[in-house]
Amino acid sequence: MTIAKVPRETLANALGADRIATELAKEGHEVIRTGSLGLCWAEPLVEIDGIAYGPVSDLAHLEAARIGPTGEIPALTRQHRLVFDRCGRVDPFEYDPAPIRAHLERAPADILAEIEASGLRGRGGAGFPAHIKWRTVHDTPSDRKYVVVNADEGDSGTFADRLIMEGDPFRLIEGMLIAGRAIGADTGVVYLRSEYPLAAEVFSEAIAAARGMGLLETFDIELFIGAGAYICGEETSLLESLEGKRGEIRAKPPVPAIAGLFGRPTLVHNVITLCAVPAILEHGGAAYAELGVGRSTGTMTFQLAGNVERGGLIELPFGVALRELIEDWGGGTRTGRDVGAVQVGGPLGAYLSGAQLDTPMTYEALAAIGAGVGHGGIVVFDDTVDLVQQAHFAFAFCAHESCGKCTPCRIGAVRGKETVEALIASERPEVELAIIADLCDVMEQASLCQMGGMTPIPVRSALGLPQGGD
Amino acid sequence: MDQAVSAREIAERHTGRIGGPITALREIAAEFGYIERAHMEGVADAFNLTLAEVRGIVGFYSDLNTEPRGRTHIRICQAEACQSVGARELTAAAVARFGAGLGETAADGSVSLEAVYCLGLCTTGPAATVNDRIIVRATAEALAS
């Protein structure tokens, strides 16, 4: 009897993993459904007695898809996996709760000190120091406090939240439990987008299993499924949505850490931020802070996507150069052409040119060129990319997804889209470019949230306009 | 059964729950295929909201459709990672093939097309769904099969 590991993960399933698992079981293998290892280019990636094969289209051609021993695949061994250390290697439901029980014995002040020492910053996009949020919620008196997880992973080019929730859902539960213990919350809510039905299924099973193990007795977790709105990834819009309303953003202050869900102090974090927490307690905040560069501490779950030969999830300490990710890890473009542009950090992220690929992936280095890490998504385009079309899309997307609460975003996005259309037909493009530059300044400075406030970033970078504020 | 009554029954399962009205409306859309005025009245009643508030919620979220969909409902990702590998061309081919634009249903009711912004399958685009079956590296032929 041999052990065969087959991912139970959306992409692998779309490419036949369920069928392959059934066939392997029929052949007499003991089949374990794991998560994905994140080597998306090799899905469905099947491991039989420690040897990885992928992509496996059918078992008759297994040998042709041989990669080698899983423990020796450079694309895995060269990673530094803290968040994704278990994902893809094990059946997530063969779970040992002893380590989390030990973490939950620790005093809140002790946990808060570790988070501060780690230098952990939000992985959802803003990069705000986690410990400040934790301490604010902790220090704000209230009859009730919440931990809210933002799993509304809407940025194109990102799938880390989905992979971890499908492949290691207990990692997120652990992060939520530790956060709840540290800040004094008794309720956790996960806001998951409706585009991720398998993540919902697996995470629901994990909540039930955790409850069965007695892990949710003083802190319970509820899963809420969104209804299709990119803006609900903005934390105040997400809170409105959890209250059952239109996802219109709230003006800040007050920040959610002081008045969040139902007006109570609420710790809102992205999935990956909380999933880093168990590793921080395991290895110690100081050890975590030694990874990375400067104030960009720890590991980042980069997601390489778009027109790339070997796309997938790459967890590395901050500081790796964009070029290394795209060329060494990704093998260049899928079409084999030169890289034309790279959008880093989702639809509100900058389009970087080939000349900017040596930028190290840190919060600071990207900010210095008017870009951002965002949620770690890297979307590669080849040299056929039409950047004016991409600027048009940035405005069109903002117009489609704007919650409508503030004028610069609601009206500005529509006018921006029309002006790019005029630019395409224009004989004097400098006229339209000046209007767009002006409009971008207004949106950036006067929008209530980052939807309108950051749409100028992809627009300006795509059109070669200087980023504002300097 | 009276539509408002059925909608109210679904809604009452979610009163007092986080995001209750949205979950109720999602279930109603799944149960009846789309949301109509009588359903919204049932939800308004159950949650003690005005019809205008419920309409506001329905209008905000793209999953809460108020028109029937085609027998085959196809969603094609329009976001950047899929654009970089031909989502625009795929969309144009699908529109020509199925006789419906994005957000439209073909005249014979066979197929409806919808834009979706990211399915989290960004390494293997263009991504699409056909009645919730996921298609990666999609072509118009694959969407038709």
Side-chain angles (χ1 to χ4, degrees), chain A residues 281-292:
Chain A
L281 291 203
E282 185 187 338
H283 303 286
Y288 186 84
E290 279 173 22
L291 299 169

Side-chain angles (χ1 to χ4, degrees), chain A residues 432-466:
Chain A
E432 280 79 20
L433 283 172
I435 295 169
I436 291 167
D438 189 40
L439 182 60
C440 283
D441 288 344
V442 172
M443 289 179 71
E444 181 175 72
Q445 290 163 30
S447 296
L448 274 176
C449 83
Q450 301 297 16
M451 180 85 227
M454 286 173 66
T455 290
I457 292 175
V459 170
R460 289 176 182 137
S461 56
L463 296 178
L465 296 167

Side-chain angles (χ1 to χ4, degrees), chain B residues 86-98:
Chain B
R88 288 190 181 94
E89 295 75 10
L90 170 68
T91 303
V95 166
R97 183 167 189 137
F98 299 115

Side-chain angles (χ1 to χ4, degrees), chain B residues 83-132:
Chain B
Q83 290 168 3
S84 75
V85 285
R88 288 190 181 94
E89 295 75 10
L90 170 68
T91 303
V95 166
R97 183 167 189 137
F98 299 115
L102 286 178
E104 293 176 4
T105 304
D108 63 0
S110 57
V111 174
S112 49
L113 294 185
E114 185 188 356
V116 64
Y117 293 90
C118 199
L119 295 164
L121 300 161
C122 315
T123 63
T124 45
T129 62
V130 178
N131 290 343
D132 295 332

Side-chain angles (χ1 to χ4, degrees), chain A residues 5 77 163 179 190 196 244 315:
Chain A
K5 294 182 184 174
T77 56
L163 288 185
V190 177
Y196 287 0
E315 184 176 354

Side-chain angles (χ1 to χ4, degrees), chain A residues 189-469:
Chain A
V189 184
V190 177
Y191 190 109
L192 178 66
R193 65 201 301 257
S194 63
E195 290 85 349
Y196 287 0
L198 182 63
E201 189 182 319
V202 176
F203 195 73
S204 297
E205 290 169 19
I207 293 173
R211 207 168 274 141
M213 290 175 208
L215 286 173
L216 302 183
E217 279 165 13
T218 54
F219 179 91
D220 205 10
I221 296 178
E222 187 163 342
L223 176 66
F224 173 80
I225 310 296
Y230 176 78
I231 191 63
C232 288
E234 198 282 335
E235 61 180 0
T236 63
S237 164
L238 184 151
L239 294 172
E240 288 287 300
S241 188
L242 284 179
E243 293 182 8
K245 301 180 228 166
R246 292 165 66 87
E248 280 184 11
I249 67 125
R250 301 175 183 169
K252 289 190 276 194
V255 293
I258 290 171
L261 187 60
F262 302 113
R264 307 301 208 291
T266 304
L267 182 71
V268 186
H269 267 314
N270 170 257
V271 171
I272 299 299
T273 315
L274 284 167
C275 287
V277 167
I280 289 168
L281 291 203
E282 185 187 338
H283 303 286
Y288 186 84
E290 279 173 22
L291 299 169
V293 179
R295 290 180 55 242
S296 300
T297 64
T299 61
M300 183 69 195
T301 50
F302 300 108
Q303 300 132 82
L304 195 52
N307 191 336
V308 65
E309 182 64 25
R310 289 192 302 274
L313 181 127
I314 302 160
E315 184 176 354
L316 287 172
F318 281 98
V320 59
L322 192 51
R323 184 185 303 283
E324 188 183 333
L325 286 170
I326 295 167
E327 293 178 0
D328 297 354
W329 293 82
T333 64
R334 194 203 294 182
T335 44
R337 301 182 63 96
D338 288 344
V339 172
V342 183
Q343 192 180 25
V344 177
L348 304 176
Y351 285 94
L352 303 182
S353 67
Q356 293 172 305
L357 295 189
D358 292 312
T359 308
M361 297 293 283
T362 66
Y363 292 110
E364 292 76 17
L366 284 166
I369 58 166
V373 181
H375 183 45
I378 297 165
V379 174
V380 181
F381 292 77
D382 73 15
D383 59 2
T384 62
V385 63
D386 179 346
L387 284 168
V388 178
Q389 274 295 336
Q390 297 312 118
H392 182 263
F393 176 76
F395 277 130
F397 184 67
C398 184
H400 187 268
E401 301 291 345
S402 174
C403 81
K405 181 143 177 164
C406 73
T407 314
C409 175
R410 184 183 69 247
I411 307 289
V414 177
R415 292 292 168 264
K417 179 170 160 260
E418 293 165 353
T419 311
V420 177
E421 284 158 14
L423 169 72
I424 292 166
S426 179
E427 285 173 12
R428 293 181 58 219
E430 64 277 12
V431 174
E432 280 79 20
L433 283 172
I435 295 169
I436 291 167
D438 189 40
L439 182 60
C440 283
D441 288 344
V442 172
M443 289 179 71
E444 181 175 72
Q445 290 163 30
S447 296
L448 274 176
C449 83
Q450 301 297 16
M451 180 85 227
M454 286 173 66
T455 290
I457 292 175
V459 170
R460 289 176 182 137
S461 56
L463 296 178
L465 296 167
Q467 294 292 352

